Amino acid sequence: MELKPGESLSRVNHALCIAELDGQPVGSVMCVREDGAPGTARLRLLLVDPAGRGHGIGALLAATVVDFARSVGYRELVLWTNDVLTSARALYQRAGFTLVAERPHRSYGVTLTGQDWRLPLREHP
């Protein structure tokens, strides 16, 4: 599918993936359309239960979202995380994402550094 300027994705353009280990859910991730940014998807809420860590589930979930976003015609994939989530940041970097911005914010009374990451899925025409 080729997405041209001004067009919208007309088929399913979002996904929720749940990973299982030994028949039990141990991870999940979402891919959603980024509002106000045609051709851009957002990786949301990549979570791996402690029982599922060390099995490559996080990398598999990230790769699944990248493959899905590319298959439905998104041009780029973005995500937001916090700098203290070092394992998640390393996973995103291994998946090809690059850090594009950092901003301090407060969450639950703690000052953190939010990070925006980006992965081009195809070159702009």
Side-chain angles (χ1 to χ4, degrees):
M1 176 175 147
E2 190 73 21
L3 188 65
K4 295 180 178 61
E7 289 183 334
S8 63
L9 299 168
S10 59
R11 59 182 181 177
V12 174
N13 58 8
H14 55 276
L16 167 65
C17 304
I18 298 174
E20 293 183 351
L21 182 64
D22 298 326
Q24 297 298 310
V26 292
S28 61
V29 67
M30 293 189 296
C31 180
V32 298
R33 183 184 69 236
E34 179 74 346
D35 289 337
T40 300
R42 178 167 291 276
L43 183 152
R44 297 281 321 255
L45 300 172
L46 192 153
L47 304 169
V48 179
D49 185 89
R53 294 182 186 156
H55 297 278
I57 290 170
L60 178 62
L61 287 168
T64 299
V65 166
V66 170
D67 291 345
F68 170 79
R70 190 173 278 128
S71 76
V72 298
Y74 285 113
R75 288 189 296 266
E76 69 178 348
L77 189 57
V78 298
L79 67 88
W80 181 88
T81 192
N82 280 299
D83 68 332
V84 296
L85 300 174
T86 55
S87 294
R89 290 176 36 231
L91 184 148
Y92 299 138
Q93 193 167 23
R94 285 192 307 273
F97 286 85
T98 55
L99 178 63
V100 294
E102 292 185 296
R103 286 180 300 286
H105 69 99
R106 290 192 57 78
S107 184
Y108 299 101
V110 177
T111 300
L112 299 168
T113 301
Q115 297 181 326
D116 293 306
W117 292 72
R118 178 180 179 270
L119 174 66
L121 298 174
R122 66 180 180 88
E123 293 300 316
H124 293 275

